[in-house]
C-alpha cells in the first residue's frame, strides 16, 4: 500500500485492517471503518500500547470506566496496554481512516 487513502473497497461489510509496516516491537496498521463498531462480545484488552490517529472521518473510543473520546481528522490518542476499550461509533456516511501504532 503506497497511499493510505487508496485501495478502499466500495462495500465494506466489516472493518478493514491492513498492516502497513512492522518491526522490532512495533506494528503500524491502517484501519478503515464505515459505521462499524467493536464487536458486542466485550472490550479490547491488548497486551501492547496503542497510539491511534484519525486521518479522515470521525469515531468514538469508549473505555470500560465510562470515559469516551471523540476523534476527528488529526486527533490522536494513546491507549496504554491492558486499558480496556472499544470503538463505540464511527461515521456511517463516510470512511473513517485510522492509523494505529502498536508498540511495546
Amino acid at each position: 500500500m503506497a497511499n493510505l487513502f487508496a485501495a478502499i473497497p466500495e462495500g465494506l461489510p466489516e472493518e478493514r485492517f491492513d498492516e502497513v509496516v512492522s518491526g522490532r516491537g512495533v506494528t503500524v496498521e491502517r484501519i478503515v471503518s464505515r459505521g462499524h463498531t467493536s464487536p458486542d462480545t466485550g472490550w479490547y484488552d491488548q497486551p501492547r500500547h496503542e497510539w491511534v490517529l484519525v486521518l479522515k472521518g470521525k469515531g468514538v473510543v469508549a473505555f470500560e470506566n465510562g470515559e469516551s473520546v471523540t476523534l476527528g481528522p488529526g486527533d490522536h490518542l494513546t491507549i496504554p496496554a491492558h486499558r480496556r476499550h472499544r470503538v463505540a461509533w464511527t461515521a456511517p456516511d463516510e470512511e473513517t481512516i485510522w492509523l494505529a501504532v502498536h508498540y511495546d
Side-chain angles (χ1 to χ4, degrees), residues 36-38 59-62 68 86-90:
H36 299 99
T37 60
S38 297
V60 175
V61 177
S68 65
R86 65 184 313 274
V87 176
W89 179 87
T90 60

Side-chain angles (χ1 to χ4, degrees), residues 71-103:
L71 301 166
D75 293 333
H76 59 91
L77 175 68
T78 299
I79 304 169
H82 298 292
R83 182 160 188 211
R84 293 167 57 95
H85 65 284
R86 65 184 313 274
V87 176
W89 179 87
T90 60
D93 56 345
E94 68 175 321
E95 291 88 15
T96 298
I97 301 176
W98 314 74
L99 189 66
V101 178
H102 301 270
Y103 61 97

Side-chain angles (χ1 to χ4, degrees), residues 33-87:
S33 311
R34 188 182 304 129
H36 299 99
T37 60
S38 297
D40 292 333
T41 55
W43 301 91
Y44 291 123
D45 185 354
Q46 300 169 169
R48 301 167 79 195
H49 305 296
E50 180 179 8
W51 177 83
V52 64
L53 164 70
V54 172
L55 299 170
K56 177 184 175 192
K58 287 187 177 178
V60 175
V61 177
F63 296 94
E64 188 177 39
N65 68 357
E67 178 188 355
S68 65
V69 179
T70 300
L71 301 166
D75 293 333
H76 59 91
L77 175 68
T78 299
I79 304 169
H82 298 292
R83 182 160 188 211
R84 293 167 57 95
H85 65 284
R86 65 184 313 274
V87 176

